[in-house]
Each structure stands twice: as structure tokens, then as C-alpha cells.
């Protein structure tokens, strides 16, 4: 299976930080956000990855490229620990394609159609990190192999926050899977069909491209993936599943801060000192 990671968005909510650098390269504890996303793909058993980039996103390509000069310099200075860290990053085979104009997530995914060919594929938003015992993409793949239909990960969010997400209406089957009835992108207050939000992990079938083609600009004037999935759902059942774990949208300041704290606290090397510091500050 292949994985597609859209990372071409403008990151407006993170200006001025994103004026000259991609939001997907924001550090989350000890590595850039998009590295966690690539690691989730690899830990799920996928080794063929396409990252959709755009203007001002060169840093992403450089991050996953080999840097021979740096490797030689680290080797000469016997900095083996750092050498291993950077070798690990560049050992994954990653392809890149540019979304020429930021016309929305649906349009970004459409850029992957030739790369994907006729096979099912995973989509992971480049600005969303998940923390889970079993990687979110793996959880999704296992369900996909069972139902052989598109699967999207959802999470319960407070009702006052549903306007920031794609939201589903559903019926639950006997196994606890959601049979999606409809999908709405960023509903107005009072119009949300539930408080189950789409978190940015999808397992899609290639027929989705036909529906993206038919999708007109929606919320924010963008070609929304949610709108294309709404059309797809009329021709075949899409499944939703409650992802087990935590999810952070690092394109939102509070989530970015929380993800840094959680991932740092998970590291034995800093946990004690950071906990004491946080207690002190608070
Ligand atoms: P967002 O809507 O969160 O990203 O897209 P954005 O447009 O970068 O952010 P704001 O609203 O301006 O602050 C979710 C994901 O989809 C990608 C983004 O890079 C992000 O990973 N995306 C979005 C694209 O690849 N292309 C687009 O045209 C839009």
C-alpha cells in the first residue's frame, strides 16, 4: 500500500512562524511534526510515501534527503548518536509532488492520482500527529482489510468545537464501526449532525479521484476532501472508526503546545525535570 501526506497548505493560522517555513516542519519536542507522520506510516508497514508540497516547502524535501557533508562531519567528530538520528530519517524512500496552487485538501489529494494508480491508499495530514499504542494508520488498515471499503478515523470532540472539523452522521454496526450516512465540512453552530470529527487519517480507494473531479469549491472557497467523500459515500459505503489514542492538529496553537509537552513527558531523559518545571511554573 502507498501513503499520501498532504503538506502544501499555507499555514495561515501559524503566521508569522510560517511566513518562511512550512508548518509541517515546526518542532514538536525533538523532531519536526512531519517526521512523526512519516514514522507512523513506516510503523504501520508502509514504505512507499508521497508528500504533497507547495511553495516555501523546500525544507521538507531537504529534511528527508541525505546530507553527505553533515554525515561525514558527524563521523569525523565521533558524534555517532546524532549520525544515527539523521541516517534514520533519510533511509525512507519518499517521493514529492507540488500542488501548484493551494486550492484545498481535495485538490492536494488529487495531485496524487497518477502516483496512486489503481490501488487503495492511506492519507495522513502532514500537520496532524497521533499518539497511540498501535499506530492509527495500522488500526485503519486492519479495518480496511476487513470491510474492503474506504475508512476514515474519527474522534469525539466537544460540541462547541465541531465547527473546526469535518463532521459525520452515522449508524453504528454490531462491531462498533460507524456506517457513515453523511459528512459535513465545518458545520455552522447547530447544524452539526454529531460531535464525531474527522481527524486527518483516511484509507481511500482510487474511485475517490472521480468524485474529487466533480467537487466544486466549498467552505473557504476550497476543494474540500469532505465534500468529495460525501459524493463517494452516495455510491459506496464509507466506514468510520473511533481511533484509539490521542491526536494533535499542530496547525492550531493549543494542540501544538500540548503535543510538545506530551511527547517530551513520554521521554525518560527529560520527564522528571520537565514535570518539576511545569509544576513550578503553574
Ligand atoms: P489545513 O486547512 O489545516 O491547512 O489543512 P492550511 O491551509 O495550511 O492552514 P490554515 O487554515 O491556512 O492555517 C490540513 C492539511 O492539508 C494540507 C495542509 O498542508 C495540512 O497538512 N493542505 C491544505 C494542502 O496540502 N493543500 C491545500 O490546498 C490545503
Amino acid at each position: 500500500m502507498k501513503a499520501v501526506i498532504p503538506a502544501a497548505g499555507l499555514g495561515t493560522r501559524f503566521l508569522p512562524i510560517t511566513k518562511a517555513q512550512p508548518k509541517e516542519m515546526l518542532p514538536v519536542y525533538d523532531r519536526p511534526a512531519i517526521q512523526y507522520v512519516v514514522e507512523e506510516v513506516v510503523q504501520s508497514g508502509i514504505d512507499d510515501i508521497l508528500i504533497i508540497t507547495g511553495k516555501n516547502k523546500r525544507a521538507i524535501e531537504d529534511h528527508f534527503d541525505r546530507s553527505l557533508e553533515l554525515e561525514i562531519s558527524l563521523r569525523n567528530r565521533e558524534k555517532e548518536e546524532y549520525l544515527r538520528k539523521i541516517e534514520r530519517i533519510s533511509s525512507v524512500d519518499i517521493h514529492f509532488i507540488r500542488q501548484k496552487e493551494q486550492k484545498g485538501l481535495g485538490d492536494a489529494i488529487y495531485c496524487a492520482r497518477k502516483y496512486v494508480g489503481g490501488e487503495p491508499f492511506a492519507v495522513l495530514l502532514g500537520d496532524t500527529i497521533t499518539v497511540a499504542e498501535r499506530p492509527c494508520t495500522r488500526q485503519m488498515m486492519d479495518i480496511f482489510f476487513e470491510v474492503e471499503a474506504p475508512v476514515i478515523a474519527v474522534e469525539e470532540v466537544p460540541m462547541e468545537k465541531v465547527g473546526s472539523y469535518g463532521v459525520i452522521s452515522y449508524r453504528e454496526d454490531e462491531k462498533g464501526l460507524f456506517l457513515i450516512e453523511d459528512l459535513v465540512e465545518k458545520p455552522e453552530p447547530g447544524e452539526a449532525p454529531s460531535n464525531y470529527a474527522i481527524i486527518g487519517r483516511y484509507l481511500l480507494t482510487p474511485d475517490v479521484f472521480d468524485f474529487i473531479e466533480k467537487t466544486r469549491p466549498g467552505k473557504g472557497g476550497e476543494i474540500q476532501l469532505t465534500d468529495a467523500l460525501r459524493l463517494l459515500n452516495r455510491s459506496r459505503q464509507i466506514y468510520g472508526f473511533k481511533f484509539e489514542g490521542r491526536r494533535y492538529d499542530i496547525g492550531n496553537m493549543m494542540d501544538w503546545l500540548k503535543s510538545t509537552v506530551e511527547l517530551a513527558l513520554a521521554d525518560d531523559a527529560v520527564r522528571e525535570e520537565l514535570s518539576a518545571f511545569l509544576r513550578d511554573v503553574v
Side-chain angles (χ1 to χ4, degrees):
M1 191 174 280
K2 293 174 176 175
V4 175
I5 303 177
L10 298 173
T12 321
R13 284 167 297 161
F14 249 76
L15 282 168
I17 300 175
T18 47
K19 183 159 178 269
Q21 63 175 337
K23 83 172 151 184
E24 294 79 8
M25 286 298 291
L26 283 178
V28 175
Y29 181 42
D30 64 350
R31 60 201 87 167
I34 196 163
Q35 194 178 322
Y36 290 98
V37 180
V38 167
E39 285 169 0
E40 178 184 328
V41 172
V42 174
Q43 284 158 11
S44 299
I46 300 178
D47 63 358
D48 200 344
I49 302 173
L50 177 74
I51 300 183
I52 319 273
T53 67
K55 273 183 220 49
N56 289 335
K57 302 281 181 167
R58 273 299 299 274
I60 299 179
E61 291 178 41
D62 290 342
H63 182 70
F64 291 104
D65 196 5
R66 269 191 86 176
S67 171
L68 290 175
E69 265 172 50
L70 181 60
E71 286 175 26
I72 291 166
S73 149
L74 290 173
R75 200 165 285 120
N76 290 344
R77 292 189 291 143
E78 291 178 12
K79 303 263 186 199
E80 296 296 326
E81 183 196 339
Y82 296 107
L83 182 62
R84 272 197 304 279
K85 280 189 182 171
I86 66 151
E87 278 178 345
R88 204 162 44 119
I89 300 166
S90 53
S91 65
V92 190
D93 213 1
I94 300 181
H95 308 261
F96 296 91
I97 192 164
R98 280 192 172 218
Q99 183 190 18
K100 306 256 173 355
E101 208 185 317
Q102 277 54 58
K103 289 196 278 188
L105 179 59
D107 179 70
I109 305 288
Y110 193 70
C111 298
R113 69 194 182 286
K114 288 187 186 146
Y115 163 83
V116 162
E119 299 295 322
F121 61 105
V123 172
L124 299 88
L125 299 193
D127 65 352
T128 298
I129 293 176
T130 64
V131 181
E133 247 170 64
R134 206 154 51 95
C136 179
T137 299
R138 186 70 238 179
Q139 295 180 32
M140 220 164 40
M141 287 162 75
D142 290 345
I143 293 170
F144 176 83
F145 293 131
E146 206 180 303
V147 298
E148 293 182 348
V151 180
I152 59 184
V154 295
E155 179 186 82
E156 212 169 354
V157 298
M159 215 35 164
E160 63 275 14
K161 293 207 169 152
V162 287
S164 310
Y165 297 92
V167 177
I168 59 162
S169 62
Y170 62 92
R171 278 179 297 120
E172 202 165 342
D173 75 5
E174 63 289 351
K175 290 184 193 152
L177 280 181
F178 290 171
L179 302 165
I180 292 182
E181 290 181 332
D182 205 359
L183 308 92
V184 190
E185 182 62 25
K186 301 192 176 70
E188 300 297 331
E191 283 179 4
S194 79
N195 63 334
Y196 274 97
I198 301 169
I199 65 160
R201 295 291 185 266
Y202 310 78
L203 221 149
L204 301 177
T205 43
D207 48 350
V208 72
F209 296 117
D210 300 335
F211 294 95
I212 296 177
E213 255 172 38
K214 293 185 188 130
T215 303
R216 304 276 71 88
K219 279 273 153 68
E222 296 190 349
I223 307 214
Q224 299 286 355
L225 180 62
T226 308
D227 294 340
L229 293 176
R230 181 176 213 188
L231 298 177
L232 174 66
N233 196 49
R234 287 180 194 154
S235 89
R236 68 187 299 177
Q237 182 67 60
I238 301 181
Y239 288 80
F241 88 102
K242 287 180 267 181
F243 148 67
E244 285 163 29
R246 264 194 300 283
R247 182 253 341 158
Y248 296 107
D249 165 11
I250 62 103
N252 141 345
M253 187 60 77
M254 191 47 71
D255 265 21
W256 175 59
L257 289 168
K258 286 181 184 169
S259 62
T260 296
V261 172
E262 170 165 357
L263 288 157
L265 288 175
D267 184 349
D268 293 342
V270 299
R271 183 184 307 113
E272 211 173 300
E273 197 175 336
L274 180 62
S275 308
F277 170 77
L278 289 173
R279 266 194 295 271
D280 196 26
V281 172
V282 173

